[in-house]
Amino acid sequence: MTTRGAGIPDEADVVVVGAGLAGLMAGRVALRAGLAPVVLEARGRVGGRVVSEPSGHGSCVVEMGGQWLAGRNKRARALAASAGIELFETYSQGNDLLEVSGEVRRQRRKVPPLRPAALLDVGLARFRLDREARRVPAAAPWDAAQAEKWSRMTVGAWLDRAVHTTEGRSVLRTAIATVWGAEPHQLTMLQALAHIGAAGSFDATTANDLAFRVVGGAQRLSDHLATELGDRLLCDRPVTTVRDDGTGVDVEAGATRIRARRVIVAVPPALVGQIRFDPPLPAARHQAIASLPMAHVIKVAAVYDKPFWRDEGLSGRALSTQGPVTGTFDNSPPSGRPGVLVGFVPGDRARALAARPADERREKVLASFTRLFGPLAARPRQYLEKDWAAEEWTRGCYFGIATPGSLTGPIRGLREPTGRIHWAGAETALDNYGGMDGALSSGERAAGEVVTALSAVLDKLV
């Protein structure tokens, strides 16, 4: 959905930069609190890292961005319910697949089809990760007793010490890269443990967190919020300058100039550096932003007449240590037609694949699907891919990856206002980090800060 304002106001109580779920929710909360918000979006659409593409099969869409809701995602589920948007369970019937040690193995029930020594190795590693994660507060991981140690140690270094079999290490490295979009040696233990703790367990990061989907596509949630904002939402307006003169804030987006009492910046940290701030942001803020480079994920999808893998007793879920696609899921609509396989190419594999020509990328992805699901996978009616690192107004996915030492340092202040500038976005919500629920909660928080600040000013005047 593209929403363009019919008239551009000169003034607003608050300007929100970015119309992803965080910015849209911030605008909605401000509007419902009686303020006059304006939301400026660089793209010609709303939704940010949530986007649904046409499938070429009636009204069915293919999810190419954020899409799954966990049972614990109360805000997103409540938003869907209030909008009359239905959810449905992610298809999970049948056997999962594991491609490891040069062969594709079926997984029956919950036990990974690994060699005995590797199975024991992986089981002990997951137990230890779950145990340590219970000691890390998800909303304030820097308060953990071993926060400094875990903040400077990478998951890759931990795996090298804790996992002894080649097969077990290969599976865990692949699973971690698929879940976080970064290689284990790029991910700190503290960030990983906070994520695992918020999900409930290591297994939940790859299973329970993917429990539900939105009928008609997750972008419907963004469109619903955008509709409520109406002409207060302006697309195709990339913000270039935010100037706080001590009495208010001037926001420039090309020819658009708006005077505001407060500003909420709700874009990924990697994009904040493209905005000129006057006066310049404090050094601590720059350090926090620089400490959160985005992960790199290419999301791919293949559309078929039907989900043929179901006829073979397969769930569509697979983990491949060979790649380039390392994780797959059945992404078909509730009716089961058409059949949609979705896959993820993360980290180093994404960077290598992105460097290849489009036809070669397609060939390599379909080769992955074919090894896993057979020759029918080689002939989709439609193929789609989304390299989020190449997206001008995102520059990566799924979320920011904290550099070693930063989660106990500069990132602690990521949510704190800078003068009249407030901060939202999925990276500022550590208890639901990087997800749709985290984005929504961050928008609520930032808008609440603005409402409180402006109410305090009004109380002084009265």
Side-chain angles (χ1 to χ4, degrees):
M1 173 182 177
T2 298
T3 306
R4 303 175 190 273
I8 302 174
D10 295 325
E11 296 183 349
D13 288 321
V14 57
V15 168
V16 181
V17 181
L21 284 171
L24 292 169
M25 178 56 77
R28 179 203 219 190
V29 171
L31 183 64
R32 290 189 171 187
L35 300 181
V38 172
V39 180
L40 300 176
E41 168 58 40
R43 294 181 176 90
R45 65 168 180 85
V46 300
R49 285 171 265 182
V50 177
V51 61
S52 304
E53 302 284 358
S55 69
H57 193 284
S59 60
C60 175
V61 299
V62 180
E63 303 273 37
M64 297 307 294
Q67 64 172 78
W68 283 292
L69 299 178
R72 62 190 173 88
N73 292 152
K74 296 180 180 180
R75 285 180 175 82
R77 297 183 69 181
L79 175 61
S82 67
I85 297 173
E86 296 182 3
L87 305 179
F88 68 105
E89 291 188 14
T90 300
Y91 187 84
S92 60
Q93 300 175 37
N95 299 140
D96 296 354
L97 296 175
L98 175 63
E99 185 176 26
V100 64
S101 300
E103 59 183 2
V104 177
R105 306 171 186 173
R106 285 201 178 209
Q107 176 173 325
R108 292 171 172 83
R109 301 182 181 88
K110 295 184 178 180
V111 180
L114 296 169
R115 294 166 184 163
L119 183 62
L120 177 61
D121 220 9
V122 169
L124 287 174
R126 293 190 302 190
F127 170 79
R128 291 180 61 187
L129 287 170
D130 288 348
R131 181 186 62 194
E132 297 297 343
R134 288 192 289 270
R135 301 170 180 171
V136 177
W142 44 78
D143 288 340
Q146 298 191 72
E148 285 293 344
K149 172 187 174 182
W150 293 137
S151 180
R152 298 184 183 280
M153 178 184 290
T154 68
V155 177
W158 185 86
L159 286 175
D160 288 342
R161 293 166 51 184
V163 183
H164 307 290
T165 61
T166 300
E167 190 170 273
R169 191 179 297 121
S170 176
V171 166
L172 286 171
R173 285 183 178 277
T174 303
I176 287 164
T178 305
V179 170
W180 279 276
E183 301 302 320
H185 69 270
Q186 299 167 327
L187 177 69
T188 68
M189 278 293 288
L190 189 58
Q191 184 171 12
L193 293 174
H195 191 161
I196 293 168
S201 68
F202 179 83
D203 287 350
T205 64
T206 59
N208 296 348
D209 267 12
L210 313 180
F212 298 98
R213 294 174 52 204
V214 178
V215 175
Q219 193 169 347
R220 292 181 65 196
L221 301 176
S222 304
D223 291 346
H224 173 71
L225 292 171
T227 298
E228 183 170 345
L229 290 168
D231 286 346
R232 296 186 178 279
L233 168 62
L234 306 174
C235 286
D236 297 308
R237 299 298 199 285
V239 170
T240 56
T241 303
V242 174
R243 183 177 295 106
D244 184 346
D245 64 11
T247 59
V249 187
D250 293 312
V251 181
E252 298 180 9
T256 301
R257 289 171 172 76
I258 303 174
R259 178 73 171 176
R261 300 164 72 189
R262 295 272 165 164
V263 169
I264 297 174
V265 177
V267 301
L271 296 183
V272 174
Q274 298 186 25
I275 302 172
R276 177 175 175 266
F277 292 89
D278 182 14
L281 295 175
R285 171 66 52 178
H286 279 295
Q287 291 170 359
I289 293 167
S291 299
L292 276 174
M294 296 293 282
H296 192 166
V297 174
I298 300 175
K299 188 172 185 179
V300 296
V303 182
Y304 306 89
D305 288 329
K306 67 173 186 177
F308 60 85
W309 50 91
R310 297 184 185 180
D311 296 337
E312 302 297 323
L314 297 174
S315 66
R317 294 199 304 198
L319 182 72
S320 168
T321 61
Q322 181 171 332
V325 177
T326 60
T328 71
F329 298 88
D330 183 326
N331 230 32
S332 309
S335 66
R337 298 293 175 95
V340 182
L341 271 179
V342 67
F344 297 90
V345 182
D348 290 345
R349 292 178 176 89
R351 282 179 279 276
L353 189 67
R356 309 311 302 164
D359 58 347
E360 187 176 335
R361 295 197 302 270
R362 184 182 192 275
E363 179 183 348
K364 288 181 177 295
V365 166
L366 294 181
S368 285
F369 285 170
T370 302
R371 289 197 315 271
L372 294 166
F373 299 103
L376 290 178
R379 300 187 298 275
R381 69 155 56 179
Q382 184 182 13
Y383 170 80
L384 303 94
E385 67 177 42
K386 177 75 76 174
D387 181 356
W388 282 97
E391 288 281 304
E392 181 181 8
W393 304 115
T394 306
R395 293 304 181 192
C397 226
Y398 316 106
F399 38 68
I401 300 295
T403 57
S406 64
L407 203 47
T408 54
I411 291 177
R412 296 181 62 165
L414 196 65
R415 290 173 289 186
E416 296 175 3
T418 307
R420 290 172 176 77
I421 303 169
H422 302 257
W423 305 91
E427 280 77 15
T428 69
L430 293 177
D431 51 349
N432 282 286
Y433 187 83
M436 290 190 282
D437 227 54
L440 292 169
S441 68
S442 76
E444 291 179 353
R445 172 191 51 75
E449 292 171 358
V450 169
V451 170
T452 299
L454 295 185
S455 296
V457 172
L458 182 60
D459 289 343
K460 290 181 180 179
L461 293 175
V462 173

